[in-house]
Amino acid sequence: MPDYKSVVVSTADKKKKKKKKKENAALAIVKGLIPWKGDSVGEIIRKIVFLVSIVALCVVVLIIIDKYMFEPERQRKEYQSSILQLGNHEPTAEEIAELPEKAINTEYAPFYAINNDFVGWLSIKGINVNYPVVQGENNTEYLEKDFYGNYSKNGTIFADYENEFKNTGETSANTILYGHNLRTENFFAEITEYRRVNLDESLEFLKEHPVIEFNTLYEKAKYKIFSVMLINTREEYGDVFNYPAILNFANRDEFNYFTSECLDRSEFFTGVDMKYGDKFLTLSTCEFEVGLYDMRIVVVARKVRDGESDSFTDKQIKSFKRNPDTKQCRTIRELYYYGKEWSGRYWNPAWIEGFKKDSSFKTESSD
């Protein structure tokens, strides 16, 4: 008859031995890491140096994580809080007196008093775009400097240094504003929602936020979006639309070139009409989704004219649609259009006053 008792005892002994081995292994690891009774002086020093190195490495890792993951978010919150407080501050007589001659929007006096580079305020209803705009001596000054002049990776929204803001209210024909697209989702991060890889979702976003407001010290104005573009800035990728160089139009031909290029390259059509003499607002930020270096998302809007409604009707918004074939650089067409050549224009030539329809238009245009 089998000796079940001995079998049970044998099994229990094996379990105890395994447990003891685990305990011995854990103890060996601990003894190998920290100073232990019986260690030589040299061994104790080695262990102390090792432990100090581990602690130092952990501290460095935590500092790096904080700097690149949490510090930008803290800066964003602190910045937005300070801007909000400044905006709620009632301008003093002294601040108003410091404004340039003929400035009428005195609510911005506190901002101008702090930074004379202040030129206006940009906002888009319903999204996190509600910031002061500055203008530096060049287009790099405010890339890593906040509104208060302090170093910040977030930078500040700034106007092209060659744009004009006259005290008569006159501006350049095309005012260009630049802003970072950062993980902290401030400044121009939400501008990228106008042009995501999922264009159907971006179209819905455009329908919800089709108007931009940009007020200077001398006037208040709204702009209707008519173009949302993915722009290449590298010649190695092919065609480059040098929109930053177009601030004014010497003649109607230059005007027609700019507006037609914006429509050719736009992902969407909103039906906004344009005529020579109109003013434009261009928002420019970096793009990171398509997988190419130095791409830009560019949103262009036409200034609302005197006597014109500053909003779209429900019918107009419902008519917003995608461009069947967007003009893109060679590399984008190879990656996303199977290498097919651009087929031509699908927008209504009547949207640009006096623009002549030619063979480049491929379909009967809609309103």
Side-chain angles (χ1 to χ4, degrees), residues 227-361:
S227 177
V228 176
M229 301 179 284
L230 174 68
I231 296 293
N232 162 50
T233 64
R234 291 192 171 199
E235 291 185 357
E236 64 195 81
Y237 295 149
D239 177 47
V240 175
F241 176 36
N242 191 19
Y243 66 93
I246 306 175
L247 304 179
N248 289 292
F249 312 116
N251 50 53
R252 186 180 292 272
D253 287 340
E254 289 187 7
F255 171 85
N256 285 351
Y257 168 75
F258 174 77
T259 51
S260 62
E261 284 291 318
C262 287
L263 288 171
D264 289 343
R265 299 171 187 277
S266 182
E267 300 288 358
F268 314 108
F269 297 142
T270 64
V272 173
D273 68 298
M274 291 157 281
K275 59 184 179 182
Y276 188 51
D278 280 336
K279 298 296 180 72
F280 301 95
L281 180 67
T282 298
L283 310 183
S284 176
T285 193
C286 296
E287 195 280 345
F288 301 111
E289 279 194 320
V290 298
L292 298 179
Y293 292 109
D294 297 327
M295 300 297 288
R296 300 287 185 268
I297 290 177
V298 180
V299 177
V300 188
R302 192 260 291 160
K303 185 178 180 180
V304 173
R305 305 178 188 121
D306 291 340
E308 178 187 12
S309 171
D310 61 6
S311 62
F312 290 91
T313 65
D314 290 341
K315 182 180 179 180
Q316 289 171 330
I317 291 175
K318 190 176 180 180
S319 72
F320 289 5
K321 61 183 180 181
R322 288 179 55 177
N323 183 349
D325 192 9
T326 306
K327 187 177 181 180
Q328 297 284 5
C329 66
R330 182 191 66 254
T331 304
I332 287 293
R333 295 203 70 86
E334 289 172 353
L335 291 173
Y336 294 94
Y337 294 80
Y338 307 100
K340 294 180 181 179
E341 294 290 328
W342 180 54
S343 61
R345 292 168 164 159
Y346 289 83
W347 46 272
N348 189 338
W351 291 341
I352 303 176
E353 185 181 65
F355 199 91
K356 296 180 180 178
K357 184 175 180 178
D358 55 27
S359 60
S360 64
F361 288 88

Side-chain angles (χ1 to χ4, degrees), residues 173-227:
N174 180 31
T175 298
I176 305 178
L177 306 184
Y178 304 95
H180 283 311
N181 164 23
L182 299 173
R183 181 187 58 79
T184 51
E185 298 183 357
N186 59 340
F187 296 115
F188 277 1
E190 283 202 78
I191 294 297
T192 62
E193 296 297 331
Y194 284 109
R195 202 286 173 194
R196 290 294 191 186
V197 170
N198 188 328
L199 292 173
D200 289 330
E201 288 185 1
S202 290
L203 177 58
E204 293 308 309
F205 184 85
L206 173 61
K207 288 179 178 180
E208 293 174 5
H209 313 284
V211 177
I212 304 169
E213 185 170 357
F214 179 54
N215 302 327
T216 69
L217 291 170
Y218 311 103
E219 71 162 357
K220 293 185 177 181
K222 290 186 178 180
Y223 297 77
K224 294 180 175 179
I225 296 174
F226 73 91
S227 177

Side-chain angles (χ1 to χ4, degrees), residues 126-176:
I127 67 174
N128 188 28
V129 176
N130 191 31
Y131 297 104
V133 177
V134 295
Q135 183 179 43
E137 294 182 357
N138 52 58
N139 284 343
T140 60
E141 181 178 351
Y142 279 96
L143 284 175
E144 295 186 345
K145 185 165 76 171
D146 69 16
F147 179 78
Y148 301 97
N150 303 315
Y151 171 79
S152 171
K153 291 291 289 184
N154 293 325
T156 309
I157 296 176
F158 62 94
D160 191 284
Y161 78 104
E162 292 187 307
N163 274 137
E164 291 184 300
F165 299 95
K166 297 180 180 179
N167 61 14
T168 58
E170 282 296 304
T171 62
S172 303
N174 180 31
T175 298
I176 305 178

Side-chain angles (χ1 to χ4, degrees), residues 92-101 103 109-110 112-116 217:
T92 65
E94 291 76 13
E95 289 171 337
I96 294 174
E98 289 181 19
L99 287 172
E101 184 183 1
Y112 186 81
I114 288 177
N115 187 345
N116 288 170
L217 291 170

